[in-house]
Amino acid sequence: MKLTCLGKYGPYPKPGCACSGYLLQSGGKNIVIDLGCGTLPRLLKLLAAKDVDALVLSHLHSDHMGDALTLRYALDSAKKLGARTEPLPVYMPAEPSAEAALLASCAMMAPVHIEDGAEFDISGIVTRFARMPHAVPGYAMAFFAEGKKFVYSGDTGYNDSLAGFAGGADLFIIESAFLSKDLPGNAAHISAAQAGFIASGAGAKRTLLTHIFPLYDENEILKEAAGYCPRVSVIGELETYEV
Ligand SMILES: [Zn+2]
Ligand SMILES: [Zn+2]
């Protein structure tokens, strides 16, 4: 498997950058995971909209699905031009209903609702979902292919299950939305220190931090997380990682 980061900022991007989005490629298939603000133009530099095999949305916040709304028009165009006839499978939570309805309004998108513990074959990749605590229904996801395991946390508050879910991953991408000093009491996100602690429990071969607040110094984020898990680094936009 090959993973390309289309964007890593949240909940809004740094100037000239993008929010969460990733392209997972395996066996000739193209699976897009989250498609936040600013990621679509980057995706379209790598492949045409007609060639996306599946879209997986961890949850329906704009910094993770904003550009999926615009992808609707690219898919509609592909249909009009005869370049694509099949709707795009979109794996996503059913709620919030307003956002889900916007995606479902596109005839070229075929929503598949995800639930805790669900397992799907997505373009030949076994994919499992686990519900995470967040402001709206949100899911971590694990992809199994080519004898490897790739895990993405989505957005999540602190919980005891994520480390186990990501256990033994070859690549683990985990959000680190806050520095500890800024972490709200009832957080829907985790701090970089908590991300490092969870990563240490997961024992992944490689851990990359994402969902970077645009006003933070990345070195501060890395320092906090590395205090618990020395092997972590911050993911790089437009970098490609072999899983
Ligand atoms: Zn987010
Ligand atoms: Zn969110």
Side-chain angles (χ1 to χ4, degrees), residues 4-238:
T4 301
C5 175
L6 303 170
K8 69 176 185 184
Y9 293 96
Y12 65 94
K14 243 185 187 175
C17 298
C19 290
S20 295
Y22 309 91
L23 172 62
L24 180 66
Q25 295 173 296
S26 174
K29 298 293 185 181
N30 301 304
I31 299 168
V32 175
I33 304 166
D34 283 351
L35 201 57
C37 159
T39 53
L40 183 59
R42 288 175 163 179
L43 175 68
L44 295 179
K45 269 182 109 168
L46 301 175
L47 51 93
K50 71 178 176 59
D51 294 325
V52 178
D53 293 291
L55 173 61
V56 184
L57 299 174
S58 63
H59 64 297
L60 301 183
H61 274 156
S62 303
D63 54 329
H64 298 258
M65 57 73 79
D67 277 11
L69 298 176
T70 308
L71 178 65
R72 294 179 301 173
Y73 309 138
L75 292 169
D76 286 343
S77 278
K79 180 163 191 197
K80 277 190 198 115
L81 296 171
R84 177 175 186 137
T85 52
E86 288 301 306
L88 174 70
V90 183
Y91 297 82
M92 62 183 217
E95 302 284 339
S97 56
E99 285 81 354
L102 284 172
L103 293 165
S105 71
C106 174
M108 283 300 284
M109 286 187 171
V112 181
H113 292 149
I114 55 182
E115 292 175 353
D116 188 35
E119 181 174 310
F120 297 98
D121 179 321
I122 300 181
S123 299
I125 300 181
V126 173
T127 309
R128 292 188 194 133
F129 293 92
R131 178 84 181 256
M132 293 287 122
H134 194 50
V136 297
Y139 293 85
M141 57 196 80
F143 299 85
F144 301 85
E146 303 169 36
K148 306 280 185 179
K149 178 179 181 181
F150 160 58
V151 176
Y152 168 50
S153 68
D155 282 4
T156 183
Y158 184 80
N159 67 91
D160 291 329
S161 64
L162 180 55
F165 184 72
D170 295 278
L171 177 64
F172 181 25
I173 296 182
I174 182 168
E175 74 126 289
S176 52
F178 287 105
L179 289 169
S180 295
K181 67 179 175 63
D182 300 326
L183 188 69
N186 56 347
H189 289 281
I190 52 176
S191 68
Q194 289 173 327
F197 183 73
I198 292 168
S200 164
K205 286 199 179 72
R206 181 174 209 174
T207 301
L208 299 170
L209 305 172
T210 194
H211 209 289
I212 308 300
F213 185 62
L215 302 181
Y216 278 162
D217 175 352
E218 266 181 30
N219 293 320
E220 291 293 311
I221 292 171
L222 187 58
K223 204 166 96 185
E224 264 199 15
Y228 290 93
C229 184
R231 298 181 307 282
V232 301
S233 42
V234 177
I235 200 165
E237 286 198 324
L238 303 177

